Amino acid sequence: MSEDVILLEHDGPISVVTVNRPDKLNALNRDVLEGLGKAVEACVANQTRCMIVTGAGKAFVAGADIAAMREFTPEQAAEFASLGHRVGHAMEAAPFPIVAAINGFALGGGCELALACDFAFASTKAKLGQPEVNLAVIPGFGGTQRLLRRVGLAMARELVYTGKMIDAAEALRIGLVNAVFEPDQLMAEAKKTAALIASKGPFAIAAAKKVFNEGADLPLAKANEAEIAAFGSCFTTSDQKEGMAAFVEKREAKFTGR
Ligand code: COA
């Protein structure tokens, strides 16, 4: 079932994952979350070098499925939040960068899905926010913690306490998205950046992603140690030899992923 609500398209080293429940603005229910987890696994098996996440229709993802959550017990709610967190962790643990292409509403769990990506691009039509307090709940898929790490504590507090929606220009201003494009340019630009990432040595990209994610919560000295170890590990690869040889020989490097 989850195959229908998630579309997965591989184009060589670039994979596009589309949340496909447009009649419900791609709201995240159990099927969608499990499908996203499977899509990440499929991309690992495909040796994807950059994954793009987007939404079908006018929304990126308009949140966790409110109708499905309505009658949850506290235990069921916590279990659902854990599922959302498992997906976020799987995205962060994937050895390739993930880019959110925010084509429309990215609210609640949708904003959290974008935050679990390495970075986000948005269309001028995007609207972002954490409106959970309007329903008398809080973000449950990492929204408080990843949002504060992305935009800072004071801005995260304002967004979560007010539940307000912001437009793409404001999201760009506060660093929630990296760039804003016209709607018909969004996927092309996301693919262009994905292709640039995919052209680099994949071991180095995976090492950089790991150090970014693990280092962010360590004291600086410890995080720097992680970087030193990861830098050293790059020199176990033939891609490092090729990259440096190509520079010295004034030619383009041909990376093999080894
Ligand atoms: N969960 C479940 N269903 C949702 C949903 C969500 N988070 N967001 C939208 N939908 C459904 C609507 O119920 C509607 O279904 P229906 O046609 O069967 O009635 C359909 O998607 C279209 O949404 P609609 O509200 O008619 O679109 P709109 O353009 O008028 O408004 C939003 C768009 C995003 C402003 C509005 O849908 C909204 O506020 N959604 C909830 C956002 C939210 O609170 N997210 C956090 C959840 S914790």
Side-chain angles (χ1 to χ4, degrees), residues 134-150:
N134 295 333
L135 308 164
V137 298
I138 68 166
F141 295 166
T144 58
Q145 300 312 304
R146 289 197 182 95
L147 188 61
L148 86 82
R149 283 162 176 75
R150 183 73 55 97

Side-chain angles (χ1 to χ4, degrees), residues 6 11 34 36 44 72 76-77 96 101 121 167 179 202 204 212 216 222-223:
I6 296 293
D11 181 4
E34 287 173 351
L36 279 168
V44 173
F72 274 173
Q76 288 170 328
F96 43 76
F121 290 164
D167 63 15
F212 275 128
K222 286 272 171 218

Side-chain angles (χ1 to χ4, degrees), residues 21-28 58 62-69 105 107-109 129-132 134-135 137-138 165:
R21 265 189 103 196
D23 55 324
K24 296 293 177 189
L25 304 189
N26 303 322
L28 302 172
K58 75 173 183 181
D65 190 321
I66 300 166
M69 293 189 294
F105 294 111
L107 302 173
Q130 297 288 166
E132 288 88 349
N134 295 333
L135 308 164
V137 298
I138 68 166
M165 256 194 249

